[in-house]
Every structure is written in structure tokens, then in C-alpha cells.
Amino acid sequence: MDYGITLTEIETARENISGTVVRTPTVPSLSLTRHAGVPVSLKLEHTQVTGSFKLRGAANALASLSEAARTKGVVAVSTGNHGRAVAHAAKVAGVKAVICLSELVPANKVDAIRALGAEVHITGRSQDEAEKEAMRLEREGMTFISPFDHKDVIAGQGTLGLEMLEDMPEVKNVVVPLSGGGLLSGIALAIKARRPDVRLIGVTMSRGAAMYESLKAGHPVEVEEVESLADSLGGGIGLENRYTFAIVRDLVERCLLVEEDELAEAISHAYREEQQVLEGGAAAGIAALLSGRLKPDGPTLLVLSGRNLDMDQHCRLVCGGGAAAKEASNA
């Protein structure tokens, strides 16, 4: 089926972003391999320049701008990581960037975006409310770069899929954090084009999972956005979704939900057993594996998508256990 984004465009995106984005490592996990009983490896995308995978899509979108669009600048709406990526890519490209955020975005992510020189607009209590401000700026002439439902962004995220197949050609299951679906869509398009036998599995939090609820309904739906350890997975998918809903619906075998305490345990496991600092959304695949919600039957690769969490919160999670996790998720 034609989804409007081709393998050739993903391969072109890899060329476009090569000077801005690093190729992140794929490493085996001895602890998760013991737990699962099959080989498990980790794609360390949280070690990306801006601390998350989002830079791939943002850099490709900036590289694809016309000269007129570059002059007028770009605007993005974000739960934090996309905004940081757009701010970084725009700074590298010499383009003005405005990032629209809701009041739920953690202060550490807001500060990081400002530090990159972007203009920050904080509006409302949800990503949908922040998006209204971004749409206003788009009407005034700026180019809107969607955090997920944008073909250049999806193609950029798809470069991860190319790397993972090259690093782990024997892979049977690929597990990806799921929010608006840009990451999972790009990876799915790249992998299915080359290895249709590989199974794609999305994992998201149980609190306010827009894509999960949309897939259940058979069409994009709105959900209430609530606080979660997986704040980077929050927000809607857009009722007029053009790309990611159909791609996830058609190419992804399963979508799983994980609970807040399971996310907390996964963050702690990543630190203690893997020596990796992860934000809640990035730990979703580990949470699914440790909880038994995911029981893979062959070589499995988990995408660790970001590390941009408040380090005081991280300390509470890895040192305080369940009580601290509950406190952090309700903070």
C-alpha cells in the first residue's frame, strides 16, 4: 500500500541528516536476554545529540525547506523532545524557531529548548491547546513541523529502521515507544520494505494513550492528556491524521499498554542493569518485557528513545522504589 513515504525518501533522509545526527549504537542486553530467554538488544537512541530520536525527523524537515520557508522560520508543538530537536536543527540551519508547549511539559525540557535559542510559547494544559498557538503562527506565515504526522519527519525517523536492520540482521521483533506514531511509522516503513517478516510492536502508557485508543476505535479520537512518567508519549494524534494512524494500523502487529509502576521499574532497571539513564517513554519497551506483557519468541530489539527527564526525579525513581515512583508520576 502507498502511504506517501517511500524507502527511497528514507534513504535520502539519511543523507540529508548525516551532518547533524549521529549513528547511535546497538548493544546486547545480558540482563534482558536472561529475563526473556531470547537474545535482546538495545538501540541506544537516547544517546543522540539532543537526547532523543526526534532530531532525525527535525533535521530532515529543516533540510527539506524551501528558501522562502527558511526565511519565515518554523514553528513546532511539543511535549519537549521534538521542540528541543527542532530548536537544535533550526540553530544549525540558521532558521528562526518558535516552540509551543503546554504547562505539562517538565521545566528541564523547557529550559533546554530556550538554551538552544528558540522562542518558547507556553499555552494551556494539553498539547492540543499548545497546538492552537502553533496553528496561529502557521497562519501568519511560519512553517509548521509536526512532531509526528509529517512526511519529512517520518522519513527522518525511518533512518533508525535502516540502522537497526544493518546492526541486527537476525532481528525478529522490534519494540518501539508509541505516541503520535512518527517514530514507529518511520521504523515500520523502513523495516517492512526490506524485511516484511519482522514484527513491529508499539508500547505506550495506560494513561492517555491516544494512538492505542484510536486503533481500538478504528479512527483517530481525542483522549484526555494526563500526567505520566511517560510524558514524552502524551498528546493526541490529530483528528485529521494524514499518515501515522494508517501506517501503525496496517504495519504494526501489536500495541501494548504499560502501567506507571512498570515504567518506574523499567527506568530503575535501565540504570542499575544497563547503566543507561532513560525517561519514562523511552523505558516503555523494557517495561513491557519485565512485566511479562511482552513475551518475544526470537531475537528482539528495543528502541531506547530518549533521556531527557529531570535528574532529581530520576534519582527518586532509582533510589526510592515504588513510593517515589508514585510521587513522581503525580507531581
Side-chain angles (χ1 to χ4, degrees):
M1 186 177 290
D2 181 9
Y3 297 104
I5 303 158
T6 66
L7 179 61
T8 298
E9 288 172 308
I10 295 172
E11 292 169 336
T12 299
R14 175 145 74 169
E15 298 174 7
N16 288 343
I17 68 179
S18 61
T20 306
V21 172
V22 299
R23 181 181 180 124
T24 53
T26 298
V27 299
S29 168
L30 297 181
S31 67
L32 294 175
T33 294
R34 286 195 302 269
H35 180 87
V38 297
V40 176
S41 290
L42 308 173
K43 176 64 169 171
L44 306 186
E45 187 62 13
H46 64 301
T47 63
Q48 192 54 254
V49 177
T50 58
S52 88
F53 73 93
K54 291 285 191 178
L55 185 57
R56 294 176 184 263
N60 190 48
L62 265 292
S64 304
L65 288 176
S66 67
E67 192 56 43
R70 289 171 58 89
T71 300
K72 293 181 180 178
V74 298
V75 59
V77 60
S78 175
T79 55
N81 286 338
H82 176 63
R84 188 170 182 173
V86 170
H88 179 86
K91 183 176 182 179
V92 170
V95 174
K96 177 184 177 181
V98 178
I99 311 300
C100 300
L101 309 167
S102 83
E103 296 168 5
L104 293 180
V105 175
N108 66 297
K109 294 187 176 183
V110 178
D111 293 343
I113 292 168
R114 285 199 175 107
L116 288 166
E119 185 178 320
V120 173
H121 292 197
I122 298 177
T123 306
R125 291 279 298 173
S126 72
Q127 189 175 23
D128 289 340
E129 291 181 38
E131 187 171 5
K132 292 176 183 177
E133 173 67 2
M135 295 298 97
R136 181 186 70 80
L137 293 170
E138 183 185 36
R139 290 192 295 273
E140 292 182 358
M142 302 189 83
T143 296
F144 178 65
I145 299 180
S146 168
F148 55 89
D149 201 36
H150 185 295
K151 66 178 300 181
D152 295 327
V153 169
I154 295 168
Q157 319 307 23
T159 62
L160 262 169
L162 301 180
E163 291 179 16
M164 290 191 291
L165 284 182
E166 291 163 359
D167 292 346
M168 193 178 181
E170 74 279 15
V171 68
K172 189 172 182 180
N173 307 290
V174 171
V175 184
V176 184
L178 174 61
S179 178
L183 176 61
L184 185 51
S185 292
I187 289 173
L189 288 170
I191 287 179
K192 289 292 189 180
R194 291 186 170 179
R195 285 277 310 281
D197 59 304
V198 173
R199 290 196 291 265
L200 279 297
I201 299 156
V203 186
T204 191
M205 73 293 197
S206 64
R207 305 175 67 175
M211 182 64 80
Y212 183 90
E213 295 299 332
S214 297
L215 293 170
K216 271 200 339 184
H219 57 87
V221 298
E222 293 182 342
V223 299
E224 181 183 0
E225 188 173 343
V226 296
E227 293 185 46
S228 169
L229 286 175
D231 58 86
S232 63
L233 303 185
I237 70 166
L239 296 180
E240 304 300 322
N241 188 286
R242 295 173 297 168
Y243 300 105
T244 62
F245 175 76
I247 296 170
V248 173
R249 179 195 62 202
D250 294 349
L251 300 185
V252 175
E253 273 70 22
R254 297 177 63 195
C255 292
L256 303 174
L257 296 178
V258 291
E259 301 296 335
E260 294 296 303
D261 60 339
E262 293 164 351
L263 289 167
E265 181 183 358
I267 292 170
S268 181
H269 177 94
Y271 182 72
R272 295 178 182 279
E273 300 293 336
E274 311 294 342
Q275 291 77 54
Q276 305 295 334
V277 173
L278 298 182
E279 60 188 73
I286 295 177
L289 203 58
L290 292 178
S291 66
R293 298 178 187 277
L294 174 63
K295 297 178 180 178
D297 59 354
T300 298
L301 182 51
L302 310 184
V303 178
L304 308 186
S305 54
R307 65 168 186 258
N308 297 321
L309 81 169
D310 179 81
M311 291 308 297
D312 289 336
Q313 181 192 49
H314 185 267
C315 184
R316 291 194 298 271
L317 289 168
V318 300
C319 298
K326 183 176 181 181
E327 175 188 346
S329 68
N330 292 327

